[in-house]
């Protein structure tokens, strides 16, 4: 195995862990300004800047998010953000510039722009997470807030042409989880073409299965995780995710079939 190079930035990325318990200490204004600036410096496709983030500071809203996600620790996060894809701001700008935003010529509502804005929101969130961890903070990315998208839209007064993407909880860590195992690079990096050989996949998964099984999650420290293939098989037929689709996007003005 080729030895990895190390510096402060690389080590922050290689040691990334999800932190789900935080010390009851607020972020300093300097920390907040720094991580938010890092998010703004993330790459943005075509310079559209088509994302926004809502700081969740009202404790009642934190409680609401925790209930939606079914994760009580969210309500205790010192800093909590909801990242949204945001074409509303660009719609306003285009309308003020004279574009017919109610016509078929308006393309910020189509599926390509939706995916593009979603990608930009994720890039910004990841930049914020990395900056926070570089400052000694801990984070957890919250896909679970999407359990109830209509409720999110209502809680945060999201206008047309916006849509929630992910949440991010940040604070000083009150736990030290181990770094979760990652699969071998051969399964995710390919030369020139995708390797779709099932035998190759399962042969390389075999060792990863054992590594995952030996990992103990702090949420259930007395029970090892199921093997990776068992986890995937269970999630591949999990019916509860069917309610987390994008059917609500049409109500927000997006035309995802275009």
């Amino acid at each position: 195995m080729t030895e990895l190079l190390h510096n402060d930035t690389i080590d922050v990325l290689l040691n990334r862990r999800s932190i789900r318990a935080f010390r009851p200490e607020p972020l300093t204004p300097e920390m907040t300004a720094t991580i938010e600036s890092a998010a703004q410096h993330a790459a943005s496709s075509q310079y559209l800047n088509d994302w926004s983030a809502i700081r969740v500071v009202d404790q009642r809203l934190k409680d609401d998010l925790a209930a939606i996600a079914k994760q009580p620790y969210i309500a205790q996060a010192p800093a909590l953000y909801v990242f949204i894809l945001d074409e509303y701001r660009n719609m306003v700008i285009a309308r003020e510039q004279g574009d017919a935003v109610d016509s078929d010529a308006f393309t910020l509502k189509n599926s390509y722009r939706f995916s593009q804005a979603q990608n930009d929101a994720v890039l910004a969130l990841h930049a914020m997470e990395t900056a926070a961890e570089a400052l000694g903070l801990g984070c957890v990315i919250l896909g679970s807030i999407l359990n109830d998208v209509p409720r999110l839209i209502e809680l945060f007064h999201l206008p047309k042409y916006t849509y929630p993407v992910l949440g991010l909880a940040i604070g000083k860590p009150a736990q030290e989880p181990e770094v979760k195992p990652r699969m071998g690079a051969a399964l995710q990096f390919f030369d020139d073409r995708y390797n779709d050989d099932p035998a190759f996949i399962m042969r390389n998964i075999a060792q990863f299965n054992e590594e995952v099984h030996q990992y103990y999650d702090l949420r259930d420290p007395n029970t090892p995780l199921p093997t990776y293939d068992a986890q995937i098989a269970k999630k591949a037929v999990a019916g509860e995710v069917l309610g987390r689709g994008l059917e609500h996007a049409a109500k927000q003005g997006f035309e995802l079939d275009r």
Side-chain angles (χ1 to χ4, degrees):
M1 180 177 177
T2 303
E3 184 176 351
L4 302 181
L5 301 174
H6 290 272
N7 60 32
D8 290 345
T9 302
I10 289 172
D11 287 344
V12 165
L13 293 167
L14 293 179
N15 289 297
R16 186 211 162 273
R17 301 165 297 173
S18 291
I19 299 297
R20 296 179 174 88
F22 304 101
R23 290 158 55 185
E25 301 175 28
L27 275 61
T28 66
E30 293 80 8
M31 286 177 171
T32 299
T34 299
I35 64 176
E36 290 183 358
S37 183
Q40 289 188 290
H41 280 79
S44 175
S45 182
Q46 298 186 336
Y47 201 46
L48 281 167
N49 295 291
D50 44 8
W51 64 271
S52 293
I54 296 172
R55 303 183 196 97
V56 187
V57 296
D58 187 320
Q59 187 59 51
R60 292 171 298 181
L61 288 173
K62 287 186 175 184
D63 293 339
D64 286 336
L65 272 186
I68 289 171
K70 298 180 175 61
Q71 293 170 321
Y73 65 85
I74 292 175
Q76 278 74 55
L80 185 59
Y81 292 82
V82 173
F83 279 74
I84 62 172
L85 64 87
D86 184 0
E87 296 294 5
Y88 176 81
R89 178 173 51 243
N90 288 335
M91 181 277 291
V92 171
I93 295 169
R95 185 178 61 195
E96 292 301 311
Q97 288 292 311
D99 286 349
V101 298
D102 294 324
S103 73
D104 288 341
F106 179 64
T107 61
L108 292 182
K109 61 186 177 182
N110 70 15
S111 57
Y112 173 73
R113 295 298 192 195
F114 185 95
S115 297
Q116 181 182 48
Q118 187 175 45
N119 291 341
D120 284 356
V122 172
L123 290 171
L125 179 147
H126 181 56
M128 177 181 278
E129 179 199 30
T130 302
E133 290 171 350
L135 295 175
L137 300 169
C139 305
V140 58
I141 297 172
L142 304 168
S144 53
I145 65 170
L146 301 179
N147 287 348
D148 191 344
V149 169
R151 181 62 175 149
L152 286 184
I153 292 170
E154 177 187 12
L155 283 174
F156 298 109
H157 304 276
L158 299 185
K160 195 174 184 179
Y161 305 130
T162 66
Y163 202 78
V165 177
L166 287 170
L168 182 65
I170 307 171
K172 295 182 180 179
Q175 60 179 193
E176 288 290 333
E178 295 294 324
V179 176
K180 187 175 287 187
R182 262 47 180 186
M183 65 176 59
L187 281 165
Q188 291 187 298
F189 288 89
F190 310 111
D191 290 334
D192 298 328
R193 55 155 292 173
Y194 187 87
N195 191 335
D196 61 354
D197 178 9
F200 162 82
I201 293 172
M202 296 313 301
R203 184 171 62 251
N204 281 275
I205 283 293
Q207 180 179 353
F208 187 51
N209 271 334
E210 184 60 26
E211 293 176 13
V212 171
H213 188 54
Q214 294 303 315
Y215 173 83
Y216 287 78
D217 194 310
L218 288 182
R219 289 169 291 181
D220 193 1
N222 297 316
T223 306
L225 291 180
T227 58
Y228 184 73
D229 56 1
Q231 292 184 51
I232 296 302
K234 181 178 179 180
K235 292 171 184 175
V237 294
E240 68 271 12
V241 301
L242 298 178
R244 303 180 194 173
L246 299 175
E247 67 272 19
H248 313 295
K251 296 180 180 179
Q252 291 298 98
F254 292 101
E255 300 176 356
L256 299 189
D257 57 344
R258 296 183 60 192

